[in-house]
Amino acid sequence: MNIQSKINVITKEIKKNSEIWLNNNFNFFDITKGSNVISDELQFKAFIELLFTVDMFYPDKIFSKNLMKKIYCLSEKVEKEVNFTEYFLTNSALVAGDEEMIIFFKNYLNRTYKERERFQKIVSSDFELLARKTPYRILDSAYSMTKAEINNNAEDIDLLYNLTVLSNENFNYLYLSDNSAYSVTHTIFYATDMGRKHPSYLNYPFIFRTLRKMIIFYSMQNNVDIMGECVLGMSYLTGNNNTFNEQDWNLILFALNCIRNRQSKSGFIHSPSDNKEEQLTKEELFFDNYHTTLVNLGVAYAMQR
């Protein structure tokens, strides 16, 4: 069996098992019901990241028809019962709620999210949406508002790139905090528009070398969350064409095996926290592992393109 055949087998297995787990635990994404184990903000974050995962691969539908239908229904329920705008007026971290709802409704439900006009008015009134954020979080919000077609006073993404960790080619990946590592991967996501663009200001050889090293480094720490985002970054840098050389395909096969080894029998992919399954409630288990599962389901899908 050649490398590509092995990759196809592994990615199908990862994606199938991840979807089974997400389907079986989908109720925990429902922010209209609240959570018994985490704050509203963290539950909102899980819902927002679900929509973000879908939007990353637009116009494709990354999930099965059944799971996509659940997401459509939940997003419309949230539109009726949850006002993200009210929340972010007191907590700017939740600005992504309106942003992702606007993008999702435009892309997948072919209509306008009801709070769009109000959100635009608040942004236009010079509300300090980007205050006290790190450069890559400013880039995050600027990217999302651009995709949501919201007029804003943020600098262009090309200019914001110069403020990020990745733009400094002297940084050492060995000494990155986890937050700085996410800065590296998310900067690639936004600069390339999830593989849809190929900006000339990126130093592609340097970034590829860095991602290769980070994949090995985070695999050794059993952190397939950051490792998976590094693999996604490599895919986006190729314009989603996955035109890798043999060495890179072998590295990706290695990464996929790491992901598969971290996948539980029930389908979730273990987060870096490595909490013991038997010591957590079903809800605690979900919030501990949903992000790593979403990321690597995305990796599996990207490698099947």
Side-chain angles (χ1 to χ4, degrees):
M1 187 181 294
N2 61 29
I3 291 176
Q4 198 59 59
S5 297
K6 291 177 181 177
I7 285 174
N8 288 339
V9 170
I10 296 172
T11 52
K12 286 178 182 177
E13 179 184 332
I14 291 170
K15 187 173 185 296
K16 176 185 174 182
N17 293 336
S18 297
E19 282 210 18
I20 290 172
W21 184 75
L22 289 169
N23 256 311
N24 290 340
N25 293 274
F26 191 80
N27 59 300
F28 296 124
F29 283 116
D30 190 348
I31 59 178
T32 69
K33 295 179 179 178
S35 168
N36 296 318
V37 300
I38 61 169
S39 66
D40 287 347
E41 180 180 340
L42 290 176
Q43 190 185 24
F44 283 16
K45 182 173 178 282
F47 172 74
I48 292 165
E49 286 174 336
L50 173 67
L51 296 190
F52 181 77
T53 302
V54 178
D55 289 328
M56 286 175 79
F57 294 91
Y58 178 78
D60 294 1
K61 295 179 175 65
I62 183 175
F63 298 121
S64 64
K65 288 183 179 179
N66 179 53
L67 192 50
M68 288 299 297
K69 184 177 180 180
K70 284 186 175 183
I71 298 171
Y72 297 153
C73 292
L74 178 57
S75 63
E76 292 186 314
K77 181 182 179 184
V78 168
E79 181 191 33
K80 292 177 182 177
E81 300 183 27
V82 177
N83 191 324
F84 275 116
T85 308
E86 293 297 329
Y87 280 97
F88 93 74
L89 285 172
T90 57
N91 184 348
S92 63
L94 294 177
V95 64
D98 273 323
E99 292 167 349
E100 286 305 322
M101 287 288 276
I102 293 167
I103 297 167
F104 184 82
F105 273 67
K106 175 173 67 78
N107 286 349
Y108 289 96
L109 299 181
N110 299 313
R111 68 177 180 84
T112 303
Y113 172 56
K114 73 173 186 178
E115 288 294 312
R116 187 194 186 285
E117 185 176 350
R118 185 183 180 204
F119 182 69
Q120 176 64 82
K121 287 179 179 177
I122 293 170
V123 174
S124 298
S125 68
D126 293 326
F127 183 79
E128 292 295 322
L129 294 172
L130 306 181
R132 296 182 300 281
K133 288 190 173 184
T134 59
Y136 102 86
R137 286 301 184 191
I138 297 174
L139 183 63
D140 184 339
S141 198
Y143 172 80
S144 294
M145 280 197 265
T146 299
K147 299 302 287 185
E149 299 177 351
I150 294 292
N151 296 323
N152 63 87
N153 59 3
E155 293 188 75
D156 290 341
I157 290 172
D158 296 7
L159 295 175
L160 288 170
Y161 171 79
N162 294 322
L163 303 175
T164 65
V165 172
L166 190 61
S167 69
N168 176 9
E169 296 179 10
N170 293 317
F171 83 86
N172 190 329
Y173 70 94
L174 291 173
Y175 299 105
L176 291 179
S177 66
D178 284 356
N179 195 50
S180 293
Y182 285 118
S183 169
V184 170
T185 56
H186 282 232
T187 298
I188 295 168
F189 295 174
Y190 306 138
T192 65
D193 189 13
M194 312 300 175
R196 301 179 188 97
K197 296 178 180 178
H198 196 77
S200 59
Y201 58 82
L202 294 182
N203 183 337
Y204 290 89
F206 163 74
I207 297 173
F208 268 114
R209 286 197 303 272
T210 301
L211 291 177
R212 292 182 191 111
K213 293 173 183 176
M214 288 176 68
I215 287 171
I216 298 296
F217 178 72
Y218 286 102
S219 71
M220 293 171 66
Q221 298 186 41
N222 281 329
N223 188 334
V224 297
D225 200 298
I226 295 176
M227 188 201 75
E229 291 203 2
C230 290
V231 177
L232 270 180
M234 288 184 68
S235 180
Y236 291 152
L237 288 169
T238 70
N240 296 322
N241 293 321
N242 295 338
T243 49
F244 300 117
N245 59 34
E246 185 177 355
Q247 180 184 5
D248 283 341
W249 276 122
N250 276 304
L251 180 62
I252 289 166
L253 178 60
F254 165 80
L256 289 170
N257 274 309
C258 291
I259 295 166
R260 182 167 62 175
N261 290 338
R262 297 284 290 170
Q263 189 161 40
S264 69
K265 290 181 181 179
S266 58
F268 72 83
I269 298 170
H270 284 276
S271 74
S273 68
D274 245 351
N275 287 321
K276 300 297 182 184
E277 186 172 351
E278 62 274 9
Q279 296 175 356
L280 302 178
T281 66
K282 190 176 181 181
E283 187 175 4
E284 288 170 334
L285 190 70
F286 173 81
F287 287 110
D288 196 41
N289 297 290
Y290 80 87
H291 184 268
T292 308
T293 304
L294 287 175
V295 166
N296 288 296
L297 189 153
V299 171
Y301 182 83
M303 290 303 125
Q304 289 176 353
R305 288 186 177 189

